[in-house]
Amino acid sequence: MSTNKTARSAADAREPTRTGLSKDTLVQAFGDNLFYVQGRFREVATPYDLFLAAAYTVRDRMLERWIKSARTYKERNSRTVAYLSAEFLIGPQLGLNMVKLGITEAAQEAAQELDLDLTAILETEEEPGLGNGGLGRLAACYMDSMATLQIPAIGYGIRYEFGIFDQQIIDGWQVEKGDTWLRNGNPWEIHRPKICFPIGFGGHTEQYTDSAGISRTRWMPALVVNGVAYDTPIPGYGVNNVNLLRLWKSEAPESFDFQAFNTGNYYGAVHAKIEAETISKVLYPNDDPEVGKELRLKQQFFFVSCSLRDMIRLELSNTGTLEQFHQKFAIQLNDTHPSLAVAELMRLLVDEHLMPWEQAWEITQQACHFTNHTLLPEALETWPIDLFERLLPRHLDIIYQINANFLDQVRVKFFEDDERVRRLSLIDENNGRRVRMAHLAAVGSCAINGVAELHSELLKSTVMQDFHAMVPERFHNVTNGVTPRRFMVLSNPRLATLITEICGDNQWVRQLDHLSALEPHADDSNLQERWQAVKTAAKTDLSNWLGQETGITPDPNSLFDIQAKRIHEYKRQHLNLLHILALYEQIKTHGCDSIVPRTFIFGGKAAPGYYMAKLIIKLINAVGEVINHDPAVNGALRVIFMPDFNVKRAQRLYPAADLSEQISLAGKEASGTGNMKFSMNGALTIGTLDGANVEIREEVGAENFFLFGMTAAEVQQRQAAGYDPYAIYSTDEPIKSLIDLIASGLFSHGDTELFKPLVENLMHHDPFMVLADFRAYLKCQQQVAKVYQNAHNWQRMSILNVARIGKFSSDRAIQEYAERIWQIKPEPVSL
Ligand code: 26Q
């Protein structure tokens, strides 16, 4: 008791309890938060209570910086990025926020003093799965980098009550379970009931003449819902800047409740309330628009309208006019999902703020910028006109007007080229009249970018060819990047410590190209051994965890070969599987000593309605079931499907990988970002010349990268010449026997029907040319095994990968956006 008292008064003398960063203050603040915020004491506190107390303790330390940042940006009227994204896959926050505040060590000491297990507390945090995969995670990395680079930014999105489903594997099949991430409360968000906008849907438009005699349009929506703000602080690393992630929740306006009493139409009012609340209820778990439903379009309009009205509110409160709106805000459209912003900003400026059309168009175009994330034509978002007309009648008018003006320009530039006009139109007349969202975004933006060099080039020569011919100066490339704070410092502390020691300081965490200081040490056999020890420790951690999670504990000395990403045919998880079967056949004929021991780990979710992807998951598990239990294999081969791949679990995989599988068909993966995360953690890549793989290979050196497969150009040629997978199947012996093995029922208890759709598809269609690339892949994998046997050389290559990966920091990407696209300068915040 008396020692406690002494400690407390010492802390009081040093620094304020709610903001101080020392161990003693953290100890006291933790106790205060547990007691005063949650009304708990240690003896009865659940693990989640302890997590909440820790989270509030960390949050308290961000609030002053957050307020100061907002005040600084307001006073200086700083140009601000508005990053509009339907997804933000931010991951668990506690550990990362501690890294950013620089209090990880103090927190560890505080936990020790309190006799708490910090690792267990971190483990308790539920992650907000508000995204599907790459695109949502990219938005989160960019929020981190904007704060770290001191760029004023607001991320705008949707506060889904249910994020991406939890994936369970039952009998080898994916089973989806609802994600109830909010059930125990979310300590990071602050509810702002006063920041609330009424958002309309449906109804009709009316013409009227205003007092100045000008003819105007008014939208009379049939349904109105409220969008309420929930704010999450996003601190920068080692700076005082704390930016804002503002997510919108839909609610029924209060009048609904009163109506119920007044009119006696109780059920009608309840129905309307439910309909309003449905909008932000659940994330669509598909990463393609095929399953585009009315609710999805409502979600998009809902968050776009809330966000624009919030920006307009901020600008009016600051300057009293919207004439400089485009100078205040750089709006970044994360794919086409927020592209309604173009039409909605026009409506707000013209109909609600009575601005002339031409001026509003100038402002809209100057404010908006568009990032494209896909080349797959089937993934380009379009919406039926009749749905648009029903849901957003005024926006359809505006889109027609934008289209008419744009097509006039096309006709001026390309005289009498009706075919081109049809191709460029915002309206697709060929498929039952649909609005082309990519065209809306492109026409309404002053910059359009792809996410890797190859992707940006292919954009210009394929899906956006006509736009490129029309406005070539608007096209840019900004190669994606990922944050080293989460994907190195937080998830791989052993490696981070070693790197800091070799580099001499930890500047690399904010200047990732400083990793090049490792390069002169790549040949140092002592470093190679320490490097390997770090990797083996991470593999051991993963192995133990997998043992608990899946019942299989792989040998940390085997080669850890990992493919973790959404399950998609174009990503070719089944190409990986064919290699596994080839190794299995080899063991069966030449014994388990004939191969280099490998552990294959897969992770990834399939869209619930994507039958072929789900069948691939089943096949991975079925192959694992047989191989892992075959005594002839004797542990030389392991195949593990890690269920429920998410940000938290991803952090366990990257540090433990020896080999990263990046094997999509060339020309299909826009960039990929997992490729960067693996390489940053010392994995070598086996990959095609697709997406950012091309640039990773350029950076790390061709001799430190396992390349195989056709180029994008070769893919195009081969497809044009008529690709015949059956010809490969029937003439190429290893392929035939491997495919026949799947068809034989060996992996399906004799059932020859189960995998037939997959097998037949490969033999007769093979849209992603698995068979065409298989031989090259097999050969390359043999090379991998050979190189792996020389541990020193492998570690040398691994060190060089890390030393040369600096380019793929999201800081570099954000720097490029800031300079070339947004023209935005850093705005340092002082306390
Ligand atoms: C659209 C309309 C209706 C329903 C769903 C969607 C939808 C949702 C999510 C469409 C696409 C997505 C996600 C796409 C995505 O994650 N793309 C990936 O983006 C990464 C970041 O740029 C790239 O690295 C990947 O190559 C790309 O596949």
Side-chain angles (χ1 to χ4, degrees):
M1 188 68 195
S2 70
T3 40
N4 256 353
K5 245 186 185 158
T6 326
R8 180 168 284 234
S9 54
D12 284 346
R14 266 197 306 276
E15 50 182 17
T17 335
R18 292 201 98 152
T19 52
L21 303 177
S22 74
K23 184 253 306 176
D24 287 344
T25 310
L26 291 178
V27 167
Q28 191 190 328
F30 177 88
D32 285 354
N33 277 318
L34 190 63
F35 188 84
Y36 292 110
V37 179
Q38 290 154 260
R40 288 278 180 185
F41 54 97
R42 265 302 283 280
E43 289 72 13
V44 297
T46 64
Y48 201 79
D49 289 330
L50 299 176
F51 158 71
L52 284 176
Y56 287 124
T57 303
V58 170
R59 193 182 88 174
D60 285 343
R61 275 140 191 84
M62 304 195 289
L63 280 174
E64 192 182 353
R65 290 170 172 79
W66 199 13
I67 306 288
K68 286 264 165 64
S69 301
R71 185 176 295 155
T72 306
Y73 300 160
K74 184 173 162 65
E75 280 168 6
R76 301 202 196 141
N77 197 19
S78 315
R79 183 162 163 83
T80 300
V81 176
Y83 199 89
L84 264 58
S85 180
E87 307 189 359
F88 284 92
L89 198 45
I90 59 176
Q93 296 293 293
L94 179 58
L96 186 66
N97 284 336
M98 294 190 323
V99 166
K100 291 183 178 182
L101 290 171
I103 59 170
T104 308
E105 239 171 81
Q108 238 135 25
E109 288 165 13
Q112 201 162 19
E113 182 160 321
L114 289 161
D115 198 23
L116 289 169
D117 179 353
L118 186 56
T119 314
I121 289 179
L122 291 169
E123 199 42 48
T124 314
E125 182 169 1
E126 188 95 32
E127 85 172 68
L130 309 186
N132 274 285
L135 167 146
R137 182 55 232 176
L138 187 77
C141 284
Y142 284 178
M143 290 304 294
D144 175 324
S145 284
M146 288 189 285
T148 299
L149 294 179
Q150 307 186 302
I151 290 171
I154 307 175
Y156 281 115
I158 302 173
R159 180 182 177 272
Y160 300 105
E161 186 177 334
F162 300 101
I164 188 74
F165 61 85
D166 290 341
Q167 178 193 55
Q168 292 182 343
I169 301 297
I170 297 179
D171 187 28
W173 294 99
Q174 166 175 299
V175 175
E176 300 92 18
K177 226 187 109 236
D179 160 51
T180 51
W181 71 288
L182 286 167
R183 69 181 175 281
N184 296 318
N186 170 13
W188 303 110
E189 67 184 9
I190 292 184
H191 177 199
R192 306 265 187 221
K194 284 270 136 47
I195 303 182
C196 172
F197 299 99
I199 307 298
F201 293 95
H204 62 278
T205 60
E206 286 174 7
Q207 304 293 323
Y208 70 99
T209 307
D210 71 8
S211 53
I214 300 171
S215 167
R216 302 199 173 276
T217 308
R218 192 163 34 211
W219 175 26
M220 310 295 286
L223 168 76
V224 174
V225 308
N226 280 342
V228 187
Y230 283 75
D231 290 352
T232 301
I234 307 286
Y237 172 80
V239 293
N240 294 320
N241 297 58
V242 176
N243 283 341
L244 166 62
L245 174 61
R246 177 160 285 168
L247 303 179
W248 302 102
K249 176 182 191 242
S250 65
E251 286 178 355
E254 265 171 45
S255 55
F256 278 147
D257 301 334
F258 293 119
Q259 267 167 16
F261 292 105
N262 291 344
T263 65
N265 181 11
Y266 184 75
Y267 287 101
V270 168
H271 178 77
K273 190 169 165 69
I274 287 171
E275 196 168 303
E277 287 168 356
T278 301
I279 293 179
S280 63
K281 189 64 78 179
V282 54
L283 167 80
Y284 272 79
N286 313 294
D287 51 5
D288 72 69
E290 281 289 84
V291 230
K293 291 272 166 9
E294 175 171 333
L295 180 61
R296 168 79 188 188
L297 188 60
K298 275 189 177 169
Q299 290 182 335
Q300 295 184 355
F301 178 67
F302 167 74
F303 97 88
V304 157
S305 182
C306 289
S307 310
L308 287 170
R309 293 165 76 161
D310 194 42
M311 289 179 239
I312 286 175
R313 172 185 67 89
L314 290 167
E315 177 64 353
L316 286 178
S317 80
N318 244 18
T319 68
T321 151
L322 296 177
E323 312 235 320
Q324 317 299 324
F325 180 85
H326 55 299
Q327 275 155 22
K328 173 71 183 181
F329 287 106
I331 299 174
Q332 191 66 39
L333 306 175
N334 198 21
D335 214 298
T336 51
H337 319 154
S339 56
L340 275 169
V342 172
E344 173 67 349
L345 183 53
M346 285 301 288
R347 188 190 70 82
L348 290 167
L349 294 176
V350 172
D351 292 359
E352 304 215 339
H353 295 274
L354 312 182
M355 197 183 269
W357 176 280
E358 291 71 24
Q359 187 187 6
W361 183 242
E362 193 65 25
I363 288 174
T364 299
Q365 255 196 344
Q366 294 301 308
C368 293
H369 315 79
F370 165 48
T371 304
N372 169 290
H373 296 265
T374 185
L375 289 164
L376 305 180
E378 66 271 23
L380 292 174
E381 203 183 359
T382 64
W383 293 99
I385 293 272
D386 50 358
L387 173 59
F388 236 93
E389 185 142 42
R390 190 152 48 76
L391 221 54
L392 302 165
R394 176 57 180 147
H395 298 80
L396 187 58
D397 284 349
I398 290 172
I399 288 169
Y400 283 148
Q401 186 61 54
I402 294 171
N403 198 32
N405 298 350
F406 173 59
L407 295 181
D408 280 348
Q409 290 171 13
V410 175
R411 289 190 193 95
V412 169
K413 183 148 179 166
F414 298 98
F415 188 57
E416 291 191 339
D417 189 347
D418 287 348
E419 203 31 59
R420 185 184 296 268
V421 169
R422 261 191 287 280
R423 291 198 305 267
L424 276 167
S425 174
L426 303 202
I427 311 298
D428 179 357
E429 310 275 354
N430 301 325
N431 301 294
R433 301 202 80 213
R434 303 174 73 92
V435 181
R436 294 166 163 155
M437 303 306 270
H439 292 212
L440 176 61
V443 170
S445 298
C446 60
I448 303 166
N449 76 282
V451 289
E453 270 166 27
L454 174 68
H455 169 236
S456 297
E457 286 309 310
L458 289 172
L459 261 188
K460 292 191 278 185
S461 61
T462 61
V463 286
M464 305 222 81
Q465 190 181 15
D466 293 308
F467 273 98
H468 183 245
M470 187 69 198
V471 283
E473 68 283 357
R474 281 194 211 167
F475 282 76
H476 301 261
N477 172 60
V478 182
T479 299
N480 283 168
V482 303
T483 171
R485 269 76 65 185
R486 179 177 291 278
F487 293 107
M488 296 182 78
V489 179
L490 177 65
S491 58
N492 201 347
R494 295 187 194 92
L495 185 67
T497 305
L498 180 57
I499 291 174
T500 298
E501 182 195 318
I502 305 298
C503 291
D505 58 43
N506 66 0
Q507 271 305 302
W508 60 272
V509 178
R510 47 168 53 267
Q511 274 289 308
L512 204 62
D513 44 12
H514 284 205
L515 289 174
S516 62
L518 295 169
E519 181 142 1
H521 305 274
D523 289 315
D524 175 353
S525 64
N526 182 255
L527 177 64
Q528 289 165 0
E529 277 160 30
R530 295 179 69 195
W531 198 262
Q532 179 168 19
V534 163
K535 180 62 77 180
T536 306
K539 287 163 75 176
T540 307
D541 286 350
L542 177 63
S543 177
N544 293 332
W545 182 82
L546 283 172
Q548 294 165 13
E549 202 68 21
T550 69
I552 294 172
T553 311
D555 176 4
N557 293 313
S558 62
L559 191 170
F560 276 30
D561 180 332
I562 308 187
Q563 187 170 19
K565 49 183 80 236
R566 285 299 282 247
I567 312 292
H568 242 291
E569 287 166 280
Y570 84 79
K571 296 176 188 278
R572 303 199 294 191
Q573 278 89 358
H574 43 346
L575 177 57
N576 188 341
L577 265 174
L578 286 178
H579 169 235
I580 296 174
L581 295 183
L583 291 178
Y584 185 46
E585 281 210 329
Q586 182 166 340
I587 290 177
K588 289 301 230 186
T589 43
H590 299 106
C592 60
D593 292 336
S594 69
I595 72 156
V596 172
R598 280 211 210 205
T599 297
F600 289 90
I601 301 169
F602 291 86
K605 293 174 184 174
Y610 189 171
Y611 173 70
M612 206 55 108
K614 290 181 136 177
L615 196 57
I616 291 173
I617 293 179
K618 172 67 180 171
L619 181 58
I620 295 169
N621 283 301
V623 167
E625 198 58 36
V626 169
I627 291 183
N628 297 338
H629 297 109
D630 186 337
V633 172
N634 197 22
L637 208 53
R638 293 282 188 215
V639 182
I640 302 173
F641 191 93
M642 180 186 93
D644 204 32
F645 181 61
N646 57 18
V647 176
K648 204 166 160 185
R649 291 175 170 223
Q651 288 175 204
R652 297 182 180 276
L653 287 185
Y654 301 125
D658 293 307
L659 188 67
S660 151
E661 299 271 354
Q662 307 300 334
I663 59 178
S664 52
L665 176 65
K668 300 294 179 193
E669 190 69 89
S671 161
T673 44
N675 46 4
M676 304 166 186
K677 295 164 196 165
F678 278 110
S679 189
M680 260 175 207
N681 284 279
L684 304 188
T685 304
I686 182 164
T688 50
L689 283 179
D690 201 12
N693 295 354
V694 179
E695 291 156 76
I696 292 177
R697 178 167 172 270
E698 260 165 35
E699 291 290 310
V700 304
E703 66 286 5
N704 301 306
F705 186 105
F706 297 100
L707 177 72
F708 77 96
M710 293 180 282
T711 62
E714 285 165 354
V715 167
Q716 275 173 13
Q717 283 157 19
R718 184 115 187 220
Q719 241 138 23
Y723 172 56
D724 177 11
Y726 196 82
I728 303 179
Y729 165 79
S730 53
T731 57
D732 198 321
E733 193 28 58
I735 289 187
K736 180 168 189 315
S737 74
L738 299 173
I739 291 197
D740 289 349
L741 197 62
I742 300 173
S744 74
L746 177 65
F747 305 112
S748 40
H749 306 285
D751 180 351
T752 53
E753 290 298 307
L754 182 58
F755 295 118
K756 210 171 211 167
L758 198 58
V759 166
E760 302 259 299
N761 187 270
L762 282 179
M763 290 195 314
H764 301 297
H765 305 287
D766 194 16
F768 301 103
M769 301 178 127
V770 171
L771 302 197
D773 269 344
F774 180 67
R775 258 188 180 279
Y777 180 58
L778 198 62
K779 208 170 140 213
C780 194
Q781 283 286 18
Q782 286 159 357
Q783 182 64 17
V784 168
K786 204 170 134 199
V787 176
Y788 189 72
Q789 281 171 294
N790 181 342
H792 277 280
N793 189 38
W794 185 279
Q795 297 310 323
R796 187 183 149 276
M797 291 167 73
S798 169
I799 295 169
L800 287 175
N801 260 262
V802 176
R804 298 173 178 174
I805 207 67
K807 171 175 171 184
F808 303 98
S809 166
S810 43
D811 299 345
R812 185 271 316 148
I814 285 301
Q815 195 93 49
E816 290 183 13
Y817 277 104
E819 282 168 14
R820 306 212 304 253
I821 305 217
W822 303 326
Q823 278 93 45
I824 268 190
K825 291 188 311 297
E827 199 74 89
V829 171
S830 40
L831 282 186

